[in-house]
Amino acid sequence: MSSGGAMAAIARFGAISLDSSDPHRLGQFYRELLDFEVLYESGELVVLAGAGVMLTIEQVADHRPPDWPGNQVPKQMHLDLFVTDLDIAETAAIECGAVKAGFQPAPDRWRVLIDPAGHPFCLTIPPGTDQ
């Protein structure tokens, strides 16, 4: 890691991911609102793209909407960061201060890490790419 100098990126911004109990409905809303294209859709996941950004909506069975501006149920979203090599990117992110999450649902396609403030984020291989 560099202190003040230029540093090669570990990852590139991939997507903003929203939790939802009904990803299809929320995906349809954002598709219409933003005029985004549907790249992928299943019962558990919708991937939208447009304006140089991807938006994913992921099913969370026990999803509870945030109670903003309260904080009993905080906002739910995370970043998907695209990488070319999961192992190298994971090591570099940990060196930057991330911690690997104990639960890894699909470690061959993405790795869940926790940032220094406790927010989960994913290092992932871009859709349609083989590692």
Side-chain angles (χ1 to χ4, degrees), residues 2-130:
S2 174
S3 60
M7 182 173 100
I10 295 166
R12 66 183 174 91
F13 182 81
I16 298 169
S17 299
L18 303 174
D19 292 349
S20 175
S21 60
D22 186 349
H24 175 75
R25 181 172 177 235
L26 191 59
Q28 188 171 10
F29 167 79
Y30 278 109
R31 182 187 59 77
E32 292 174 13
L33 181 71
L34 302 171
D35 193 29
F36 274 19
E37 174 186 357
V38 176
L39 295 182
Y40 175 82
E41 187 168 12
S42 72
E44 297 81 34
L45 175 68
V46 175
V47 179
L48 304 172
V53 70
M54 288 178 67
L55 177 67
T56 67
I57 297 104
E58 302 176 13
Q59 184 177 38
V60 173
D62 59 350
H63 177 261
R64 295 182 338 186
D67 65 348
W68 189 89
N71 218 10
Q72 292 295 319
V73 180
K75 295 183 257 344
Q76 304 112 16
M77 63 176 285
H78 70 269
L79 299 176
D80 285 340
L81 304 177
F82 291 165
V83 300
T84 55
D85 186 297
L86 287 170
D87 294 329
I88 291 171
E90 177 185 312
T91 299
I94 290 169
E95 288 174 0
C96 288
V99 175
K100 187 172 183 177
F103 177 63
Q104 298 292 322
D108 58 325
R109 294 295 300 164
W110 74 85
R111 308 280 168 81
V112 181
L113 288 102
I114 310 297
D115 74 14
H119 305 112
F121 66 95
C122 294
L123 299 174
T124 186
I125 303 301
T129 306
D130 291 326

